[in-house]
């Protein structure tokens, strides 16, 4: 992976990790390990936390802004959740400030490391910012490859990436991917699809309702509840009771 010309060679993997571990809070780490379901058999099983809150990580971007992509890539492979999260925050900043070559580099790095983007917060902070933005003017086919993946987090990336399109009032890919995910058995996919459908409804209620009327009978309950969360109470009850 090429090092961009303005990368700071003084920013090393060891420097970043040493700093992050110096501000770790064991009490916060214990809370995070419970919140993100890290016990055996849970979706975040085995994940390890340092105990650093998101605002603190975001504030560090200015300090480490000129981190080279190869260092970001190495940080993204960390066993510590917050180090992977910080790598994604740095990658988003790199993507947003970069030229087209930088954006392509960030996008390709992201898709090459999906095995490490392995919790819902990591996906949600980054998928629309990098994957969605990059594909906004390109073929959306990569999303349809991700949505058929056996990996939970790749399927979540596929639907959350479409949030970028939703913000541009483009709903077709969100609806198509949502339809493909209707049979999905994982609660975190149900929540993600319901969330994106809710966002569609906030911008175009008629489009959201048309999709829901076609599919709500086959929707997992959690997905439906998330999708209709902002509907008037009477309308929500009609959907939940099957009276539409």
């Amino acid at each position: 992976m090429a090092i961009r010309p303005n990368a700071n060679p003084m920013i090393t993997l060891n420097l970043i990790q040493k700093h992050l571990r110096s501000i770790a809070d064991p009490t916060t780490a214990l809370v995070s390990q419970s919140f993100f379901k890290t016990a055996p058999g849970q979706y975040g099983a085995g994940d390890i936390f340092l105990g650093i809150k998101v605002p603190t990580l975001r504030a560090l971007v200015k300090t480490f802004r000129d981190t080279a992509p190869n260092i970001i890539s190495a940080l993204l492979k960390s066993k510590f959740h917050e180090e992977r999260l910080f790598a994604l925050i740095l990658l988003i900043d790199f993507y947003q400030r970069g030229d087209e070559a930088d954006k392509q580099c960030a996008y390709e790095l992201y898709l090459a490391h999906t095995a490490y983007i392995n919790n819902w917060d990591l996906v949600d902070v980054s998928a629309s910012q990098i994957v969605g933005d990059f594909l906004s003017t390109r073929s959306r086919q990569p999303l349809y490859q991700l949505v058929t993946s056996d990996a939970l987090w790749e399927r979540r990336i596929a639907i959350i990436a479409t949030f970028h399109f939703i913000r541009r009032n483009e709903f077709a890919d969100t609806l198509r991917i949502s339809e493909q995910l209707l049979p999905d058995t994982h609660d975190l996919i149900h929540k993600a699809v319901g969330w994106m459908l809710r966002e569609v409804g906030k911008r175009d209620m008629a489009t959201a309702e048309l999709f829901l009327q076609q599919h709500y009978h086959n929707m997992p309950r959690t997905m439906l509840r998330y999708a209709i969360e902002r509907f008037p109470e009477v309308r929500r009850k009609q959907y939940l009771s099957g009276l539409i």
Side-chain angles (χ1 to χ4, degrees), residues 92-104:
I92 291 166
D93 182 71
F94 169 61
Y95 179 92
Q96 292 177 338
R97 294 190 302 118
D99 58 19
E100 285 304 307
D102 290 333
K103 292 182 189 301
Q104 175 116 20

Side-chain angles (χ1 to χ4, degrees), residues 107-127:
Y107 168 78
E108 291 177 353
L109 189 158
Y110 188 96
L111 289 188
H113 291 77
T114 55
Y116 305 97
I117 306 170
N118 58 352
N119 215 313
W120 59 263
D121 64 319
L122 304 180
V123 172
D124 294 359
V125 78
S126 59

Side-chain angles (χ1 to χ4, degrees), residues 44-208:
D47 208 351
I48 305 173
F49 287 77
L50 289 168
I52 309 172
K53 295 183 177 179
V54 175
T56 301
L57 293 174
R58 291 192 181 280
L60 287 174
V61 169
K62 290 183 180 179
T63 302
F64 297 104
R65 169 157 280 166
D66 294 323
T67 302
N70 64 312
I71 302 300
I72 295 174
S73 173
L75 188 64
L76 189 52
K77 297 173 184 176
S78 171
K79 67 179 181 180
F80 292 109
H81 186 100
E82 292 92 341
E83 291 186 354
R84 301 197 305 280
L85 177 57
F86 189 53
L88 290 168
I89 292 171
L90 287 174
L91 189 63
I92 291 166
D93 182 71
F94 169 61
Y95 179 92
Q96 292 177 338
R97 294 190 302 118
D99 58 19
E100 285 304 307
D102 290 333
K103 292 182 189 301
Q104 175 116 20
C105 172
Y107 168 78
E108 291 177 353
L109 189 158
Y110 188 96
L111 289 188
H113 291 77
T114 55
Y116 305 97
I117 306 170
N118 58 352
N119 215 313
W120 59 263
D121 64 319
L122 304 180
V123 172
D124 294 359
V125 78
S126 59
S128 68
Q129 301 270 38
I130 295 176
V131 179
D133 186 273
F134 188 79
L135 296 179
S136 63
T137 57
R138 297 171 173 85
S139 167
R140 314 285 168 85
Q141 187 58 36
L143 298 181
Y144 295 94
Q145 296 170 345
L146 289 169
V147 79
T148 61
S149 172
D150 291 334
L152 163 65
W153 306 115
E154 290 192 344
R155 301 197 305 277
R156 188 163 173 119
I157 288 169
I159 185 63
I160 298 298
T162 71
F163 200 0
H164 182 81
F165 312 150
I166 294 171
R167 291 190 180 107
R168 295 158 57 99
N169 293 319
E170 299 173 9
F171 309 128
D173 290 291
T174 300
L175 300 179
R176 184 177 170 190
I177 290 171
S178 294
E179 187 172 11
Q180 288 186 238
L181 290 171
L182 288 176
D184 202 286
T185 59
H186 205 290
D187 184 64
L188 287 173
I189 296 299
H190 302 168
K191 291 176 179 178
V193 173
W195 172 23
M196 291 301 100
L197 292 174
R198 184 174 71 235
E199 293 299 327
V200 171
K202 285 163 63 175
R203 293 160 176 82
D204 188 335
M205 181 64 77
T207 294

